[in-house]
Structure formats: C-alpha cells, structure tokens
Amino acid sequence: SAASDVYKRQAQGLSLKTTAQRAGLRYGTAIEPQTVAADPAFAALVLDQCDLITAENALKWNALRPDRDHFDFAAADQVAAFARRARAPMHGHTLVWHEAIPDWAIHELKAGDPRALLVDHITTVVRRYAGRVVSWDVINEPVERNDRRPDGLRKSPWFEALGPDYLEIALRAAHAADPNARLAIADYGLEYDDIGWMVEKRGTMLELLRGLKARGVPLHALALQGHLLGDHAPSFGAGLAAFLREVAALGLAIYVTELDVNDQNVPGDIAQRDRVVADIYGRFLRTVVAEPATQIVVTWGLSDRYTSKTDFFPRPDHAPVRPLPFDAGLRPKPAALAMAGAFSHRGP
Ligand code: 9MR
C-alpha cells in the first residue's frame, strides 16, 4: 500500500543515535550480555542505533554478589566490553533496589552491619566502572505511597535496615567512589497526567528530591523509567511538562531509562497495535524532550526479539508482544519513527 511504501522509505537509514545526537540527546538501550554475544545481527543493530548502553540485569546485586565475600563481574564486564565496541558510555542500573537482592544479603541487612555492606558494595562497583559508567541509577524505586509513610518512602530492606538515611548514605558513597559520575534516583509511575496515584507520586518524589538537594546530598538527575501503558490513552501534557520543569528547577537533569510500551492488552492486528504503541512513544517523548533538562533516553531493550515483557506481560491471545522500537526481525517499527520524530522536533 502507499502508506507502507512511505513507511519503508522513512525507515530506510533510520538512526536513533544520530537523530538523538542532533537534538543534544543520547539514545541507548538496556542489554543482556548473552544476547549480544549469541546474536550478531542483534548486536549489529545495537551498535548501529545506540550510543549509550545499560545492563538490564548484570549490575544488580543478585548478578554481582554470589556471596558476602565475593564479587562476580563476569556478566557486567561483558556489557562493559560491548559498550566499548559501541564506543558508548554506560548508564549503570542499579546500586540500591528492593528487588534482586540475594538471600544472604537480606540476612546480612538484618544481622550484620548494613551500612558497611551498602557502602562497600557501592564503593567497589562504582570504582570499578569509573569512567565507563558515566551515570548511575543509585537508587531505584524508593517511593511507594502504599507503604503509608508521610515521606512516601518504600519500606524496602534498605529502608528497614538503615532508615531514611539509606538514600544519603548511598549517594555519598557513590559520589566518593567516582566524583565524575552523574547520580540519579529512578522510579516508575511518574509519567501519566490522568492517573491519580501517579500525579500524587510526582509530588512525593519532588519532596524527596527537594530534601536531598537542600541537605547538599550529591544528586544530579531524576530518571523516569518510562514503562508506558498500551491500554491507556496517552496523557503526557501540561502536567508532565510542569513536573519536569520543577525537577529541572532543582538543578537536576532528566533521564528516561527504561522506556517501553506494554501492549499486552492492545487490540487489533499488528499494524493497528504498532500504531497505538508508536503514538504513545511519540507523545511521551515529545513532551519529555521539550524539557531542556532532558539528556538521555534509554529503551528497555531495542528489538521485540528480546524483551522481559514476553515473560512478565504475555498477551491473552498468545501473540508475541511488541513493546520496543524494532520488531523481532530487527526491522524498525512505527515506534522507531515516532521516536526519531520526537527527537528531531526538539525545540522551544
Ligand atoms: O527486565 C528485567 C528482568 O529481566 C528481571 O528479571 C527483573 C528483576 O531483576 O528486572 C527487570 O527490569 C526491571 C528493572 O530492573 C527495574 N524496573 C522494572 C523493570 C521490569 O520492567
């Protein structure tokens, strides 16, 4: 059809990396070391499209810490080697999270010296990748309003062991280990203007960021994960723009670090689903990149060939999920064009 001809022409030579660079942004993806090692065509696509690399899992505690006395950097080093091949810096994910903590560490947090455990881990990991990991999700998902604390902090194992100070302890340790690294707090559920708990979470997050900045804690960015909802109409308007403005007014950069669109419940054939997903990518990114403080955009994978959505959010009709900018055949989808379009329209 004429429409698909236009699409094919536009998709030819599409470069998210170059389009992002021209807009003063860096575009990248999360990867698993096994997939880029085993699948050269996929690796080539990542090298072609990305100039920022995140480890989807390899820098988490459960990957790095088989036991208390050892670090296993094998997988993370493979990601770092791939980033070097891509001539791309890395964004680090993540030093402090309530998930992916090995059992021995959960025990140690209760029975041992939790502060030493946290500081030693951060110091070792951040020093090892200094100069390669240029920005870190130091804290991932610290806010959980359902835990009903006035400050909105999640009652994570870190919180239970160290109290609200765990954030400051972690950020200061990371800064001491690599003073050049940009340090971020990352969270989900900050994106939509018409979902009540998300709007409330923005306020909670702003208070948290404000308090840390007021105390002089080293903190340089807020990372929106950007796990978007295929079955919810995009509402990324004045509310999101105003929230990002307020974050920027604190002197913080804005990152998008786990962007994808969950199409578990999007109806229709593939063309219809892809249009819905692309529209969500485009509308979200247009608002986010219009904010001058926005610096990086990372998708949680690059091709539908490899996405944790397959396991976590399978479709009831058993059709393969299509949450990412490139399809399982490594061809650009309408979402990729929508992303490039949003990048290239960056401006006042
Ligand atoms: O995609 C990741 C999956 O492979 C892991 O099993 C899971 C648990 O470690 O984490 C997934 O990534 C999550 C990220 O680390 C934090 N935000 C939510 C992500 C899942 O969409």
Side-chain angles (χ1 to χ4, degrees), residues 319-337:
V321 297
R322 302 176 65 83
L324 290 167
F326 289 78
D327 72 13
L330 310 179
R331 290 171 297 260
K333 292 157 58 187
L337 288 181

Side-chain angles (χ1 to χ4, degrees), residues 105-156:
I106 296 280
H107 174 77
E108 187 78 10
L109 279 177
K110 292 178 185 145
D113 181 346
R115 188 185 181 114
L117 181 71
L118 179 60
V119 170
D120 290 349
H121 178 87
I122 291 176
T123 304
T124 303
V125 176
V126 172
R127 271 201 197 139
R128 181 182 185 89
Y129 296 104
R132 296 185 282 171
V133 172
V134 297
S135 52
W136 276 101
D137 292 338
V138 178
I139 322 272
N140 193 37
E141 303 174 0
V143 173
E144 174 49 276
R145 295 174 42 88
N146 291 329
D147 284 352
R148 305 227 158 265
R149 289 178 46 82
D151 59 12
L153 287 179
R154 179 190 297 277
K155 292 179 179 165
S156 74

Side-chain angles (χ1 to χ4, degrees), residues 32 56-57 60 62 93-94 97 99-100 140-141 188 225 227 258 260 300 308-309 312-313:
E32 293 273 43
E56 182 168 349
N57 290 302
K60 293 173 181 173
N62 60 355
H93 176 83
T94 176
W97 190 27
E99 287 185 39
N140 193 37
E141 303 174 0
Y188 61 85
Q225 290 185 353
H227 291 297
E258 302 185 18
D260 60 11
W300 207 237
S308 60
K309 288 277 182 289
F312 293 164
F313 299 99

Side-chain angles (χ1 to χ4, degrees), residues 10-93:
Q10 289 172 335
Q12 281 281 332
L14 172 94
S15 171
L16 293 175
K17 155 165 79 179
T18 309
T19 317
Q21 280 166 356
R22 289 196 189 112
L25 297 163
R26 239 176 221 287
Y27 169 69
T29 183
I31 60 163
E32 293 273 43
Q34 318 83 270
T35 56
V36 290
D39 185 341
F42 174 70
L45 181 68
V46 177
L47 295 171
D48 193 43
Q49 295 293 324
C50 297
D51 69 352
L52 187 62
I53 297 294
T54 302
E56 182 168 349
N57 290 302
L59 284 167
K60 293 173 181 173
W61 276 71
N62 60 355
L64 290 175
R65 303 299 300 275
D67 57 53
R68 197 186 65 164
D69 303 318
H70 297 96
F71 285 80
D72 178 355
F73 290 111
D77 282 354
Q78 279 179 265
V79 174
F82 185 81
R84 187 180 295 266
R85 254 180 86 192
R87 298 175 201 283
M90 281 188 280
H91 174 73
H93 176 83

Side-chain angles (χ1 to χ4, degrees), residues 249-335:
L250 295 172
L252 297 171
I254 288 153
Y255 302 160
V256 176
T257 50
E258 302 185 18
L259 183 59
D260 60 11
V261 176
N262 180 348
D263 76 334
Q264 178 176 46
N265 296 312
V266 178
D269 62 20
I270 283 175
Q272 289 166 319
R273 285 168 51 193
D274 283 358
R275 268 200 300 280
V276 168
V277 167
D279 183 56
I280 293 169
Y281 268 100
R283 286 175 193 270
F284 176 69
L285 285 177
R286 279 201 293 277
T287 298
V288 172
V289 307
E291 167 51 56
T294 299
Q295 295 181 351
I296 71 179
V297 174
V298 174
T299 46
W300 207 237
L302 184 62
S303 149
D304 297 332
R305 191 178 285 189
Y306 305 111
T307 161
S308 60
K309 288 277 182 289
T310 300
D311 297 325
F312 293 164
F313 299 99
R315 289 175 59 86
D317 63 9
H318 306 295
V321 297
R322 302 176 65 83
L324 290 167
F326 289 78
D327 72 13
L330 310 179
R331 290 171 297 260
K333 292 157 58 187

